[in-house]
Amino acid sequence: ELKLSRADANAMARPASIAKAGAGLVEIVAIAGRDLIAADRNAASSDPYMVAKSGDFLDKSPVVQANLCPVWNHPLVIGIPAGRTDMEIELFDKDKLGADDSLGKVVCDIESLSVGQLVDGWHVLQGMDESHKVNGAVRLGMIIHRMPAKSQEEAESWGKLSVGVVEG
């Protein structure tokens, strides 16, 4: 069961780096994956984990050992830099030796989200290119707590006091 309601979004634990001027704030629940490819050479399985990123912001889920239909139910929190309109969710197979293998990715348009509204659904994984074999889908719950500034100029204006004089 997916539950993302909070009395105060500002009370959620999150990295201090998300406080960058103009950054948006997205909470993602890495719920589950299904029908992933078997990336481990000696076994018909993978050790999947998820990475959510946008610009320099990233967060990742724990690894689920030997599973092609993992269940994480793990919250991720990332910032969205000013001027960005997307975030990337990528699944990897954890390897003991060498680089971890990509199991596929999903690019999410944050402009399709509404502040404070939970979106929950399955997303089909895409490969990095035509030669990259990918299968499966990932279920994500997403809620945006704050939209990013549209530009760096707008981001720099956040938090500045504006004073006007009204004559009358």
Side-chain angles (χ1 to χ4, degrees), residues 20-23 82 148-163:
K20 287 183 183 177
K150 300 280 185 205
S151 67
Q152 194 56 42
E153 260 181 17
E154 181 184 328
E156 290 169 6
S157 74
W158 286 14
K160 290 185 178 175
L161 181 60
S162 192
V163 178

Side-chain angles (χ1 to χ4, degrees), residues 12-69:
M12 115 179 65
R14 60 184 177 262
S17 62
I18 290 178
K20 287 183 183 177
L25 180 64
V26 178
E27 184 174 7
I28 302 150
V29 176
I31 301 171
R34 67 177 177 208
D35 303 325
L36 303 179
I37 62 168
D40 290 340
R41 293 183 183 152
N42 298 330
S45 68
S46 289
D47 305 312
Y49 67 95
M50 182 183 301
V51 175
K53 63 184 172 181
S54 183
D56 294 337
F57 297 107
L58 70 88
D59 198 359
K60 61 184 174 179
S61 74
V63 174
V64 175
Q65 298 293 322
N67 202 315
L68 300 180
C69 295

Side-chain angles (χ1 to χ4, degrees), residues 1-19:
E1 171 99 6
L2 174 65
K3 292 185 181 176
L4 263 181
S5 58
R6 284 199 164 67
D8 179 5
N10 292 322
M12 115 179 65
R14 60 184 177 262
S17 62
I18 290 178

Side-chain angles (χ1 to χ4, degrees), residues 16-134:
S17 62
I18 290 178
K20 287 183 183 177
L25 180 64
V26 178
E27 184 174 7
I28 302 150
V29 176
I31 301 171
R34 67 177 177 208
D35 303 325
L36 303 179
I37 62 168
D40 290 340
R41 293 183 183 152
N42 298 330
S45 68
S46 289
D47 305 312
Y49 67 95
M50 182 183 301
V51 175
K53 63 184 172 181
S54 183
D56 294 337
F57 297 107
L58 70 88
D59 198 359
K60 61 184 174 179
S61 74
V63 174
V64 175
Q65 298 293 322
N67 202 315
L68 300 180
C69 295
V71 174
W72 293 283
N73 283 325
H74 183 80
L76 306 171
V77 178
I78 63 167
I80 306 292
R84 293 287 299 250
T85 60
D86 65 340
M87 65 182 168
E88 185 176 285
I89 311 293
E90 188 166 6
L91 273 60
F92 290 94
D93 169 51
K94 181 71 176 165
D95 288 331
K96 291 180 182 170
L97 300 173
D100 294 348
D101 303 312
S102 176
L103 299 175
K105 69 176 183 175
V106 173
V107 177
C108 301
D109 176 13
I110 62 147
E111 290 184 320
S112 67
L113 301 174
S114 297
V115 173
Q117 291 187 333
L118 174 65
V119 175
D120 174 14
W122 286 96
H123 303 267
V124 176
L125 295 171
Q126 304 295 315
M128 305 307 273
D129 56 41
E130 295 296 320
S131 66
H132 187 221
K133 183 183 175 193
V134 171

